[in-house]
Amino acid sequence: MESIFLVMIFLSSIFIATEAYRSNSRTLQCSHGGPEIQFPFWVKFRQPHDCNSSGFELICTENATAIRFPSYGDLVVKSILYNTRKLNLIDPKNCVHEVFLNLNLSLTPFRYYYSVRNYTYLNCSAPLSNPVTEIPCLSGVGFHVYTVKSSLPVPASCKKIKTVAIPFSYSPYISDNTFGLGLTWDQPGFEGFTSNGHRHILSIDRGNSKVLSIGIIVVGLVALVSIKIYRSRELQKLKKDQELEAHILLADS
């Protein structure tokens, strides 16, 4: 009987703790049809900062979800794929290579989703011949901007702007306001352990784990009190049975 009671208490503890975790892990959306926002991402003014991860703050703008990068500004969040950890972004200025040229991901928890290689941005006073193609959104009257492999020599009519590690050089066939703006991240709060030579990864959401821990502690205390009450009643019952048995024996004698 007591073992069944303890099992029921244990199952109740799991249920209550799970519900506490779920209630604190609800997804949000800035707008209908917008990306679902869940850990590690969070929305300013809608969720407490101390329960979320630094660098993953999102902003709800006019019917859009955005993320702010100190080195560039705001980029629109097109989608978030949590299973593959891919953040798909859109440049509202419609110039992906301006993002590539200025975005400093070393100041963020992100890195490019695609493989990167070094490309050099050139500012040239005269147009270059094929095979390189001018980047229209960075060029203007009297100057022409290109991306070339960093190993190529700089032409006499050009000045080097910067060499950066980016996913793609410019191509009129693949360049728009989204292509290449895929980022990934390392899950914050992950801890590893080894067993049998293999490494396993455990996800620990600090905010949710705090709620989960409090829930388990509360339920554990309730369970201990319940067990004490149960045992006290059992002892009282046993004592009454012993007194009754002693009374019957005395009456028989």
Side-chain angles (χ1 to χ4, degrees):
M1 178 65 183
E2 184 175 352
S3 61
I4 296 176
F5 179 79
L6 291 176
V7 170
M8 292 177 64
I9 291 292
F10 177 73
L11 293 177
S12 299
S13 302
I14 294 177
F15 175 77
I16 294 174
T18 301
E19 288 302 309
Y21 179 85
R22 287 178 178 175
S23 65
N24 200 51
S25 303
R26 294 174 182 171
T27 59
L28 295 175
Q29 286 180 293
C30 288
S31 60
H32 179 71
E36 291 189 349
I37 302 168
Q38 62 189 47
F39 182 82
F41 295 93
W42 59 286
V43 180
K44 191 174 183 178
F45 303 126
R46 291 197 186 184
Q47 295 168 302
H49 183 333
D50 57 356
C51 292
N52 296 282
S53 302
S54 177
F56 290 88
E57 177 188 337
L58 300 181
I59 305 167
C60 289
T61 62
E62 297 179 0
N63 297 320
T65 308
I67 183 169
R68 181 164 296 164
F69 293 97
S71 59
Y72 182 78
D74 292 353
L75 293 174
V76 175
V77 178
K78 181 180 180 181
S79 62
I80 306 174
L81 306 178
Y82 293 95
N83 57 337
T84 57
R85 294 185 197 164
K86 185 181 182 185
L87 179 67
N88 292 308
L89 302 174
I90 298 174
D91 178 29
K93 300 177 184 177
N94 295 317
C95 189
V96 166
H97 279 272
E98 184 178 0
V99 182
F100 289 157
L101 186 58
N102 294 284
L103 189 61
N104 186 355
L105 292 179
S106 66
L107 303 176
T108 76
F110 302 101
R111 62 183 183 277
Y112 286 114
Y113 184 83
Y114 305 99
S115 298
V116 297
R117 61 184 302 178
N118 287 332
Y119 289 96
T120 298
Y121 285 84
L122 300 178
N123 186 342
C124 304
S125 58
L128 298 180
S129 59
N130 289 332
V132 293
T133 305
E134 182 178 333
I135 305 174
C137 65
L138 292 180
S139 302
V141 178
F143 64 96
H144 312 269
V145 178
Y146 302 87
T147 51
V148 298
K149 293 181 180 179
S150 59
S151 58
L152 295 178
V154 178
S157 62
C158 302
K159 291 183 179 180
K160 177 180 175 181
I161 302 174
K162 186 191 292 186
T163 297
V164 291
I166 59 176
F168 306 101
S169 62
Y170 178 77
S171 168
Y173 303 105
I174 62 175
S175 183
D176 59 15
N177 64 341
T178 64
F179 195 81
L181 278 182
L183 304 182
T184 187
W185 66 91
D186 292 322
Q187 189 78 352
F190 267 55
E191 295 181 357
F193 66 96
T194 57
S195 64
N196 299 326
H198 299 284
R199 185 169 182 81
H200 305 271
I201 301 297
L202 295 176
S203 173
I204 302 175
D205 178 343
R206 295 178 182 176
N208 289 334
S209 65
K210 185 185 295 184
V211 174
L212 188 62
S213 299
I214 293 173
I216 292 175
I217 291 172
V218 171
V219 173
L221 290 174
V222 172
L224 287 174
V225 172
S226 300
I227 291 172
K228 286 186 177 181
I229 293 174
Y230 174 81
R231 288 181 175 176
S232 176
R233 289 177 179 175
E234 287 295 306
L235 288 173
Q236 291 178 1
K237 182 180 178 182
L238 179 61
K239 185 176 180 181
K240 288 182 179 179
D241 290 342
Q242 290 176 345
E243 290 177 352
L244 179 59
E245 184 178 354
H247 180 73
I248 293 174
L249 291 174
L250 184 61
D252 290 341
S253 61

